[in-house]
């Protein structure tokens, strides 16, 4: 098949990659930890704790306000952002590919994300994986199935945990070592997949924490290594990134915003939206000594 590939016959792939957050079980239900903290929240100065009715009503009101203004996040946040990216950016490719690490997700959670991704991904382009090796193989594929045109990658969006010098697709999980992406893995990528005709440039967006940070809180780290090897533009942050807008209700209640519960009856309860994340990833303010903003490495 590859002997039929010509420069004039190229088809583009848009890829979104979502890691797992096996340990991240915050906001298990449709209330946030911050709401639980309200149970111990001090009452306004001058209020008599001897008035239990006022205390109860005050906390109920604060809880109600928080339910309609607070940002939600949970272990599904990377998956939700991956679906949102397909929806927002997938049009740049002839094909739209969704890749996600399955470790730590229940059967119900996987069914929900695949159903959501199928609305925007190309047919047969949803890939559940468990190792970085599988990810590299998928990225390096020279053609699409049943296609003779060469496969080129137009854009990749990456959603996972991150540390300086590494992407953590399974941070603190059972397969952490097999789900870590470092310089060694960068060198295994095929630069030809990112070499676009007509002097166009491929783009790689890392929405993980600190992809553009070196170990001294300066611009650097994994991002420039990835850009140098692939010759793609790599967009990355030196500071941590925040996923708390993933299920941000915008002042609406959960039901008004379209959020649902995924409950398998085994205490695995998370909130989810059938269309993926409601809001995008934002930049945090730590580490404070690291440069702010998103930098393009090329």
């Amino acid at each position: 098949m590859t002997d039929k590939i010509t420069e004039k016959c190229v088809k583009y792939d848009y890829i979104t990659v979502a890691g797992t957050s096996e340990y991240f079980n915050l906001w298990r239900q449709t209330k946030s930890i911050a709401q639980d903290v309200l149970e111990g929240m001090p009452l306004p100065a001058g209020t008599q704790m001897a008035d239990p009715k006022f205390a109860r009503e005050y906390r109920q009101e604060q809880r109600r306000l928080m339910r309609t203004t607070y940002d939600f996040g949970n272990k599904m946040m990377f998956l939700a952002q991956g679906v949102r990216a397909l929806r927002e950016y997938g049009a740049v490719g002839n094909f739209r590919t969704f890749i996600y690490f399955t470790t730590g997700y229940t059967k119900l959670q996987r069914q929900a994300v695949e159903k959501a991704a199928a609305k925007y991904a190309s047919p047969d382009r949803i890939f559940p994986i468990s190792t970085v090796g599988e990810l590299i193989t998928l990225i390096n594929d020279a053609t699409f199935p049943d296609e003779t045109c060469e496969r080129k990658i137009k854009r990749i969006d990456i959603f996972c945990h991150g540390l300086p010098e590494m992407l953590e697709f399974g941070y603190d999980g059972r397969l952490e070592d097999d789900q870590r992406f470092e310089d060694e893995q960068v060198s295994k990528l095929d630069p030809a997949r990112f070499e676009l005709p007509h002097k166009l440039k491929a783009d790689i967006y890392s929405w993980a924490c600190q992809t553009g940070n070196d170990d001294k809180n300066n611009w650097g780290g994994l991002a420039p290594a990835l850009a140098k090897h692939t010759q793609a533009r790599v967009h990355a942050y030196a500071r941590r990134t925040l996923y708390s807008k993933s299920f941000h209700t915008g002042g609406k209640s959960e039901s008004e915003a379209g959020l649902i519960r995924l409950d398998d009856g085994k205490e695995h309860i998370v909130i989810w939206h059938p269309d993926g994340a409601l809001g995008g990833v934002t930049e945090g303010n730590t580490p404070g000594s690291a440069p702010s903003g998103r930098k393009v490495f090329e």
Side-chain angles (χ1 to χ4, degrees), residues 53-67:
K53 181 180 178 181
F54 176 85
R56 182 172 62 254
E57 290 177 350
Y58 174 79
R59 288 184 173 129
Q60 285 176 345
E61 175 62 12
Q62 294 303 307
R63 198 174 294 115
R64 184 192 68 78
L65 291 172
M66 188 163 288
R67 287 177 70 88

Side-chain angles (χ1 to χ4, degrees), residues 134-270:
E134 294 172 87
L135 174 62
I136 292 171
T137 297
L138 289 171
I139 289 175
N140 287 347
D141 279 345
T143 57
F144 296 99
D146 302 319
E147 290 279 346
T148 57
C149 294
E150 186 172 9
R151 173 177 172 266
K152 298 288 189 179
I153 296 171
K154 195 72 173 290
R155 172 169 170 162
I156 301 179
D157 282 274
I158 299 170
F159 303 96
C160 64
H161 288 294
L163 295 168
E165 312 289 349
M166 64 188 69
L167 295 170
E168 293 279 6
F169 289 104
Y171 181 70
D172 213 20
R174 287 167 284 175
L175 299 178
E176 182 176 35
D177 291 342
D178 293 329
Q179 296 173 343
R180 180 176 294 124
F181 189 97
E182 302 176 273
D183 279 348
E184 178 184 351
Q185 285 69 43
V186 169
S187 67
K188 295 178 181 179
L189 296 175
D190 181 3
R193 293 309 106 233
F194 301 89
E195 186 180 350
L196 306 185
H198 312 301
K199 297 183 180 180
L200 297 174
K201 297 282 282 187
D203 290 287
I204 300 174
Y205 285 80
S206 174
W207 302 95
C209 294
Q210 304 187 84
T211 307
N213 193 11
D214 65 14
D215 57 6
K216 296 180 181 178
N217 289 337
N218 297 314
W219 287 119
L222 191 68
L226 190 56
K228 181 178 180 180
H229 181 74
T230 64
Q231 294 299 299
R233 290 183 296 240
V234 177
H235 308 249
Y237 296 90
R239 294 185 175 183
R240 292 182 177 88
T241 50
L242 305 177
Y243 285 73
S244 56
K245 295 285 187 182
S246 296
F247 301 110
H248 179 56
T249 61
K252 300 178 181 178
S253 68
E254 294 93 56
S255 59
E256 289 171 339
L259 297 178
I260 60 174
R261 283 194 185 199
L262 299 179
D263 184 354
D264 64 359
K266 300 178 182 178
E267 292 299 314
H268 300 125
I269 305 172
V270 294

